[in-house]
Amino acid sequence: MAAGPATPAVAEVLARLADIAGRRAVLTEPAALAPFTQERRGLFAGRPVAGVFLPGSTAEVAAGVKLAAAAGMAIVTQGGNTGLVGGAAPAAEARPQLILATRRLKRIRALDAAADTLIAEAGCVLADVQAAAAAADRLFPLSLAAEGSCQLGGNLATNAGGLNVLRYGNARALTLGLEVVLADGRIWSDLSGLRKNNAGYDLKQLFIGSEGTLGIITAASLRLFPPLRSRATAWLAPVDPAAAVTALARLRGALGERVIACELISRFALDCVLRHVPAARAPLTAEAPWHLLVEIADTDAHYPCRERLVELAGALMDAGLVSDGVIAESEAQRQALWRLREAVPEAQRREGASIKHDVSVPVAAVPDLLAAATSAVQARDAGVRVCAFGHLGDGNIHLNLSRPVAMADADFLAQWDDYNRLVHDLVIERGGSIAAEHGVGQLKVDALERYGDAVSLALMRTLKTALDPAGVLNPGKVVRAGRG
Ligand SMILES: Cc1cc2nc3c(=O)[nH]c(=O)nc-3n(C[C@H](O)[C@H](O)[C@H](O)COP(=O)(O)OP(=O)(O)OC[C@H]3O[C@@H](n4cnc5c(N)ncnc54)[C@H](O)[C@@H]3O)c2cc1C
């Protein structure tokens, strides 16, 4: 995408940003802009984009915000650009947009192993935060398939969930404090890492999950945990989703917090991986309609995770809840099982166009939702292939639809809104959420308007207006301004 026409005011901002942060911190050439303007699924290509700014410090972020806001520009904050709802992509805007990419804010500022806290800058890649904690014999438990490229700021701005929410909670639960540049360029900082602080409103919670619309996160104080020193992983075949829910409840009843992950994978999702991922091998000998990847772990190196999991998996089979299963016998086998799960999104992409739903319902309602959505979708078109997988313990299912084999991608994608409506209606009927962990971004602004509670939407607009009255930060995302 080419940079938008640089008015004198915009050109002046870009020149001053280069003075402040260095010439290499301001990008305007189309080839240099492309990695920042391209959204991974090609769904969003907003404009105009005046340029990309790569600040190297919180002060440079603040200066950039002040300059851009004064010149009437909008700011799109971008981390690793792995979000799946168009939050980090420019929207269609009247104003010139500046993409503020955080990748140079990548210092681990402090780590206090005794207090179990770590202060990291927003541009740290999540895997690097995990590694810094591990080097100090600590665990930062946020983990998701994009962890090699997503950044801490993006994780917090989307309140990322991932694989270990069952035990450790989502990003919100892992955050003790934030440093944020506000829409007027002021810096709000609370990185004290206090576990108790009831001196007024808990302001950090406003910015976590706000998808770059209320402030720009520049650093965070995070909670660390003791490392997990023993672990066992099983791939089970529940007879159906209801059996999977019961199996998880029994595992948690017996093992409590030791159950750290429980992923449900449909047969179609696994088939996609086996078809498209080189060297992927079926974990079980018999075909099964549903699969469950369960991991248990303990901080005690001597806790008999494997023995307990073998024993409990046997009990699940005796109870008729599970028909088959395998326990990883080595770290390599464990990683191979996890690769099967983590490869699902990429493998599904190779099946052609898909329409995705990142939804959640109360855990007990997951089986009913899966059944109702599958039959509703296939009543509309029997050829649609339902690729369901997700974090069962959180009631969070990625209810993705792959196009019928013989249908052109464009013909299927033209029905995006209809299928969304069909699935989202069923989710709402079951007391669920249409945006479980990926956020709203641009993709679900209309859906939030449709399904959101009127009072909640009005409060969101009040907050947006109070914190960003000129609408400088990430316009066109999350909540539509100026109504209600
Ligand atoms: C293969 C794959 C697997 C995934 N699995 C999961 C999963 O299990 N759980 C999950 O929750 N998500 C998952 N995601 C979605 C995505 O990786 C996460 O939402 C991630 O946290 C986004 O981080 P990012 O740095 O890429 O953010 P970006 O995509 O760059 O930005 C996301 C949003 O945050 C805003 N933002 C970014 N940085 C800041 C900042 N410093 N301050 C303020 N706002 C900011 C952006 O404006 C945008 O609205 C997955 C994505 C992929 C591609």
Side-chain angles (χ1 to χ4, degrees):
M1 177 190 291
T7 62
V10 167
E12 169 70 11
V13 168
L14 296 174
R16 296 208 31 209
L17 290 177
D19 289 343
I20 291 166
R23 274 179 39 205
R24 289 169 60 189
V26 179
L27 311 176
T28 53
E29 292 301 317
L33 294 189
F36 301 90
T37 52
Q38 280 165 8
E39 189 266 336
R40 60 183 297 123
R41 285 194 278 162
L43 295 176
F44 306 96
R47 53 177 304 125
V49 176
V52 172
F53 179 42
L54 301 154
S57 68
T58 303
E60 289 178 9
V61 174
V65 170
K66 278 186 192 150
L67 284 169
M73 298 169 75
I75 296 175
V76 181
T77 306
Q78 189 175 101
N81 200 13
T82 68
L84 298 168
V85 290
E93 252 287 301
R95 288 170 288 178
Q97 295 171 89
L98 182 70
I99 297 178
L100 189 151
T102 51
R103 61 165 65 157
R104 289 181 61 223
L105 301 170
K106 58 179 184 190
R107 275 191 317 135
I108 304 285
R109 290 191 193 165
L111 192 153
D112 184 340
D116 274 329
T117 59
L118 178 155
I119 298 177
E121 293 186 344
C124 290
V125 170
L126 175 56
D128 293 340
V129 178
Q130 296 165 344
D137 199 29
R138 286 292 176 272
L139 172 73
F140 181 60
L142 186 65
S143 175
L144 42 117
E147 64 198 22
S149 53
C150 65
Q151 298 175 9
L152 181 63
N155 301 147
L156 300 182
T158 57
N159 185 27
L163 304 171
N164 296 331
V165 173
L166 200 54
R167 169 149 177 189
Y168 295 101
N170 48 26
R172 203 179 281 289
L174 303 173
T175 307
L176 293 168
L178 291 180
E179 177 187 86
V180 177
V181 172
L182 304 176
D184 59 8
R186 281 180 299 163
I187 298 168
W188 171 70
S189 181
D190 175 16
L191 294 174
S192 62
L194 293 176
R195 308 260 165 172
K196 285 191 172 178
N197 179 6
N198 285 339
Y201 305 135
D202 190 353
L203 297 175
K204 66 178 177 293
Q205 301 299 355
L206 285 179
F207 301 103
I208 300 173
S210 69
E211 301 183 49
T213 62
L214 299 182
I216 300 174
I217 298 166
T218 48
S221 171
L222 305 170
R223 291 178 70 192
L224 301 180
F225 296 82
L228 297 167
R229 297 187 178 88
S230 55
R231 194 185 288 267
T233 308
W235 189 284
L236 305 174
V239 294
D240 56 28
V245 170
T246 308
L248 172 59
R250 292 197 184 178
L251 289 169
R252 294 197 83 193
L255 296 165
E257 297 287 283
R258 290 192 184 94
V259 182
I260 62 164
C262 182
E263 298 290 300
L264 183 69
I265 301 134
S266 66
R267 176 166 162 186
F268 176 69
L270 179 62
D271 284 348
C272 289
V273 175
L274 298 178
R275 256 198 299 280
H276 298 294
V277 176
R281 291 182 42 199
L284 305 174
T285 40
E287 287 196 345
W290 291 96
H291 299 262
L292 208 53
L293 179 57
V294 177
E295 187 153 285
I296 69 167
D298 198 284
T299 53
D300 178 356
H302 302 294
Y303 184 81
C305 286
R306 186 185 174 284
E307 289 74 8
R308 291 292 281 140
L309 196 50
V310 168
E311 178 192 335
L312 289 161
L316 296 175
M317 284 190 196
D318 291 345
L321 295 166
V322 163
S323 63
D324 198 359
V326 64
I327 311 274
E329 295 297 345
S330 64
E331 178 58 20
Q333 282 183 12
R334 170 181 171 262
Q335 287 185 12
L337 293 180
W338 272 108
R339 269 198 299 278
L340 293 175
R341 160 63 184 90
E342 292 185 341
V344 172
E346 176 59 21
Q348 194 202 1
R349 198 175 61 78
R350 295 183 187 213
E351 289 288 319
S354 64
I355 298 175
K356 302 198 170 185
H357 304 91
D358 164 42
V359 297
S360 64
V361 289
V363 177
V366 167
D368 181 44
L369 174 71
L370 288 168
T374 303
S375 68
V377 160
Q378 292 182 339
R380 183 180 159 93
D381 185 335
V384 172
R385 299 163 296 160
V386 179
C387 185
F389 63 97
H391 317 298
L392 179 65
D394 317 329
N396 175 194
I397 298 298
H398 301 303
L399 228 163
N400 297 346
L401 312 177
S402 279
R403 64 157 165 73
V405 174
M407 186 180 280
D409 283 352
D411 291 342
F412 187 54
L413 293 178
Q415 304 173 65
W416 188 293
D417 290 344
D418 298 331
Y419 279 111
N420 272 187
R421 182 81 187 268
L422 212 150
V423 172
H424 287 159
D425 280 356
L426 296 170
V427 168
I428 296 296
E429 277 166 22
R430 284 156 184 78
S433 167
I434 55 145
E437 64 175 2
H438 295 162
V440 176
Q442 299 180 61
L443 186 67
K444 295 184 178 175
V445 172
D446 289 340
L448 187 62
E449 291 289 332
R450 175 188 298 279
Y451 297 108
D453 163 71
V455 178
S456 303
L457 285 167
L459 282 174
M460 288 185 211
R461 288 191 187 101
T462 303
L463 286 170
K464 174 70 180 169
T465 308
L467 288 172
D468 182 17
V472 172
L473 299 177
N474 225 0
K477 320 290 168 64
V478 184
V479 71
R480 211 162 272 144
R483 297 199 332 205

